[in-house]
Structure formats: C-alpha cells, structure tokens
Amino acid sequence: LVARYFRRSDHVPPGPKGWPIIGNAFTMTGENLYATLTEYSRTYGGIFSLQLGPKLVIILNTLDVAKEAYVDQASAFSKRFMPPAIRYIVGQEGSLIFGDGPIWKEQRKFLLSAFREFGVGKKSLQERVNEEASYVLEVIERAKGQPINLHFVINNAVSNIICSLSFGERFDYNDENFQNLLKKLHVNVSSISLGGIVHVFPFLMETPIYGYLKKNFQSLVDFVRRLSKEHSETFNGNDIRDILDKYLLEIQKQEDSGEESHFKRSDDWRLVFELFLAGTDTTTNTLLFTILFATYYPDIQQKISDEIDEVVGGARRPQLSDRPNMPYTEATIMEVLRMRPAAPLGVPRSVSADTKVGGFFIPKGTGVFLNAFAINHDPQVWDHPYEFDPTRFLSPDGKKLIKNDSLMTFGTGRRACVGENLAKMELFFFVTNIFQRFHLRFPEGTSKPDLRGTQGISLKPAPFEICAERR
Ligand code: HEM
C-alpha cells in the first residue's frame, strides 16, 4: 500500500526514478539544479515528472508546453503550489505570491495599480532610483580602485527601492540591523530549493539543521510588522504617501462600506514582506550578474559605456526618456535575464483540475515548475544559446530592441511576475549610473570568476570582486 501511495501512475509524464518515500527530493537540491533539470529535459523531453515524497510535480521545459499549460489552460494552471516548508513558516492565506482565489485576484489588482500610482515607469520613481544609485556610486568611489564586493551594497540599494515604495523609508548601507536582515533573507532564498527534502518533511524546520531558516524568516516578518505598525500610526486618509497607506485606505473603504473585506488589518505586513521576498534577491542577483558579465566581456562593457556617452553624456543623470535610445544597454540586460533567470524554476503552480499537457495525463493537485533556464536556452529557439550575445535582442542595424516571447524569466500567463517593469526600470538605472561613471575590471592577479552561479530558490553569482576606475 505504501509503495502504491508513492508510485507514479503510468499515464503521467515520465521522469527519473526516485527513492522510496522521498522520491526525487534529492534531485531537487544542489547548486546546479537548473542545469541538472535541463539535462533531464534532453532525456525525457519537454515535460517530465518528479516525485517529491507523495507529491507529483511536473517540469515544463519548452515554450510549447509552457504556453499549452499556463496560457491555453490558464484556469487549470493559475493556482500556486506553496512549498510546504515555506507554508509552514509564513502561511498561505492572504498571500499574493502563494495565495489563490478572490483574495489573490484583489491583491494582484491592487499592487499593479499601486505600482502605477507610485511611479513605476514614471519620472517620480526615476528620481528615487537615480538618488539610490548615487549612494552606490559613492561606495564604489570610496573604494578608490581597490577590490570590492558589491553584493550587500546592491542588495541594500534594491531593497531601499521596495522600502521607499512600500513605506517611504530607505536604510543606510551602514545600518547593521538592516544589513543583518538582508543577509538572513539572502541566506534563506539561496540556501533552500523549492523542492528539496525539507519540503517533504517540513518538521525539519524545527531541527537544528534547518531551524535557522525559520528564525531568519521570523526576523524579517517581525521587522516588517514593526515598520507597518509604526507607519499605520501616522496614517492620514487624505495624504496617501505610499503602498502601505494605499493598502490601509483600501481596508478603511471596505470597512466603511460594510462589504466583506479581503484585505485584513492583521495582514498589512504581508504585502510588504512578499515584495521583499519576490523583489529583493531576484533584482539584486540580476544586477550583479549584469556587472559580472559586463566585466567579464570588456568589449560589451565598452559598447554600453559608448552608448551612455552618446545618449546621456557625462553631466546629467540617465532619464526614462533615454531608454528607447539605448538599445544596446537594454539588450545586454535582456541577455543577462535570458542567461541567468533569477528564479530559474519560477514560482510553482498547482493544477486545479485533471487535464492533459503534451499528450500526458496531469492529475488535479500536481505541482508545476516552469524551467525558465531550459526554455531560455532551448537550441530550437535560440542560436548558440550558451553564448552571451546581447545582439540577439537587436535588429540587424543595431538600432532597435527586439523582444522575444520565448524569454521565460518573468513567467507567463495570469500569474506572471507583477514586478517585471519595476525590476527592468531598476536594472536600467543602476546599470547606466554605474557604467556612466566607472570602468570595471577584475582585480589583478586573480582568475576570472565563474559565470554559472549557484541556485537555491534564486540563482545568484558566486561571490566576486571588481576594481572600479573612474572614466
Ligand atoms: C529580475 C527580477 C525578477 C524576476 C526574475 C522575477 C521573476 C518572477 C517569476 C518567475 C514569478 C512567477 C511567475 C509565474 O508564475 O509565471 C514572479 C512572480 C512574482 N513577482 Fe517577480 N521577479 C522579479 C522581480 C520582482 C519585483 C521587483 C517584484 C516586486 C517588488 C516582484 C513581485 C512578484 C510577485 C508579487 C509575484 C507573484 C505574482 C502572482 O502570483 O500573481 N518580482 N516573479
């Protein structure tokens, strides 16, 4: 009976054999997980399955099956599978990233409208990001050309954009409390995968091996809760300063109208917490990879710098209106997003009704991972997929940015990333500010860093240092 409970049905997509009880949980760990799963896709095809304990999950590895599931069958594929260990710590109810149904729908609509209101894609936020970038430039300047690891500065800067949108505050790069918090978040998203053994046995969170994950998440929740509480004490319905105020106003309106409220006062911390979770390490890692690739390929860095000189010059800050005139810089960012998707397996979904994909039976309740790395490197779609070549996103004359629907870095369908425009805006401003002012190289006498990156929930570059010389 036990064996039958854990065994895969014959009609579901094939996949590698697992161990008794835990199935393929060990397969779903390892710092090169994205590469391992992409290898499997070469053996098993566009869709294959794994067993996480008793839970069947499928991995979508080509654009065709991704669209067939997430777009053509959006109703069956728009729920989330929340990895048990994460649910165990932060719960699923009221979650935008992991929730479902009307609450999720309202939260998503709310956030998209809040992003518009508070300047995503607009001048007001441009000033904010430029200002934050100027603090990063100061840190680089102070290093005076000596080797520096930019990880926690960039991480702090990116988080400050979320903090400023959410509750109008930024934290100094020397603020030890905030830095510690970011480190804890970083450790959590980079040291567990979305499908490893801890999700088969979530009680491991209570043991010394994994207990730190629970503590780390709890510190972040406590921090956001405290800030949300302090912020709400200064709430004035006639002066909506940021996303948290807008959220509180929404609650007030729903309470006043006597309607059943989907936004709860007790949950006001959650939205901000989830913006941290979804938006900090993803954007940080992509920005670090951009710095890494541009330093690794000096000719590409030179082309970015030339474009900045031509379009922006050296005297003023970059503007949103410069973006359409800077296709090479934008194409380089797109190429980094393709090569190193910060969430290489997306955020898992759950199938809400028995269905079929790629001709295979997919039972209700199956977990689904979108292998963005495999799709972004599919040789059927991309020429020389493992080469770093920004020109693949440029028109033949190099003057226009060419989008490609096969880029799966932000997911697709109803639950695609809501932060895509914000992330791209941040990437553009941080990249242009840095390469406007500095030429970057690796420290003398050191070997070139590894470009592959290591994977937990997010994919991050291995630690590296750069030396920055003023241009
Ligand atoms: C380079 C940076 C980023 C990458 C690569 C990324 C990637 C993703 C991916 C793959 C998903 C799942 C999509 C799907 O299921 O189809 C997602 C969801 C999400 N992202 Fe992002 N993200 C980034 C930045 C951000 C930022 C800056 C924010 C907000 C501050 C954000 C907020 C969210 C939210 C709230 C969701 C859940 C949406 C839902 O379930 O409806 N992301 N992201």
Side-chain angles (χ1 to χ4, degrees), residues 70 80 96-97 104 108 111 115 162 275 278-279 282-283 286 337 342-343 346-347 349 409-412 415-419 422-423 426:
Y70 284 11
R80 287 277 185 222
L96 165 57
I97 306 176
W104 158 73
R108 187 173 166 106
L111 187 61
F115 275 167
I162 292 180
L275 293 185
T282 44
T283 314
T286 309
L337 286 164
V347 182
R349 312 259 186 117
T409 304
F410 293 97
T412 185
R415 300 214 66 158
C417 176
V418 281
L422 173 61
E426 290 183 58

Side-chain angles (χ1 to χ4, degrees), residues 308-328:
I308 295 170
D309 290 351
E310 196 184 311
V311 178
V312 187
R316 66 166 174 86
R317 299 270 121 249
Q319 308 286 311
L320 276 173
S321 54
D322 295 323
R323 276 182 82 179
N325 302 322
M326 301 184 70
Y328 192 84

Side-chain angles (χ1 to χ4, degrees), residues 11-31:
H11 308 289
V12 304
K17 233 175 143 36
W19 293 66
I21 314 258
I22 60 166
N24 306 94
F26 284 131
T27 306
M28 287 296 279
T29 45
E31 54 185 39

Side-chain angles (χ1 to χ4, degrees), residues 71-86:
V71 179
D72 301 345
Q73 302 190 62
S75 326
F77 280 86
S78 292
K79 284 194 160 188
R80 287 277 185 222
F81 158 48
M82 188 169 194
I86 299 183

Side-chain angles (χ1 to χ4, degrees), residues 168-273:
E169 273 195 52
R170 71 172 293 279
F171 294 88
D172 195 83
Y173 304 159
N174 297 322
D175 183 328
E176 270 183 37
N177 278 342
F178 193 61
Q179 281 283 339
N180 279 336
L181 218 60
L182 293 179
K183 277 181 195 153
K184 286 177 178 168
L185 176 63
H186 175 70
V187 165
N188 274 23
V189 294
S190 53
S191 63
I192 47 168
S193 91
L194 287 168
I197 197 86
V198 71
H199 299 296
V200 179
F201 304 115
F203 66 83
L204 288 174
M205 286 290 194
E206 300 296 346
T207 66
I209 319 169
Y210 290 103
Y212 72 95
L213 292 168
K214 189 177 172 192
K215 276 196 200 133
N216 285 355
F217 268 134
Q218 197 52 53
S219 307
L220 189 62
V221 170
D222 291 345
F223 166 79
V224 177
R225 274 204 154 130
R226 184 173 53 75
L227 277 179
S228 302
K229 188 168 176 291
E230 281 169 18
H231 197 70
S232 63
E233 280 160 10
T234 58
F235 171 75
N236 169 1
N238 297 317
D239 175 21
I240 300 305
R241 301 160 292 181
D242 41 47
I243 294 182
L244 204 50
D245 272 356
K246 188 174 160 73
Y247 193 84
L248 293 171
L249 184 69
E250 200 60 39
I251 294 175
Q252 198 177 58
K253 275 193 206 155
Q254 292 191 355
E255 282 173 356
D256 290 350
S257 70
E259 285 170 27
E260 194 203 344
S261 176
H262 285 137
F263 292 11
K264 294 199 178 70
R265 270 184 207 285
S266 55
D267 271 355
D268 61 357
W269 60 275
R270 185 181 271 281
L271 188 70
V272 180
F273 171 76

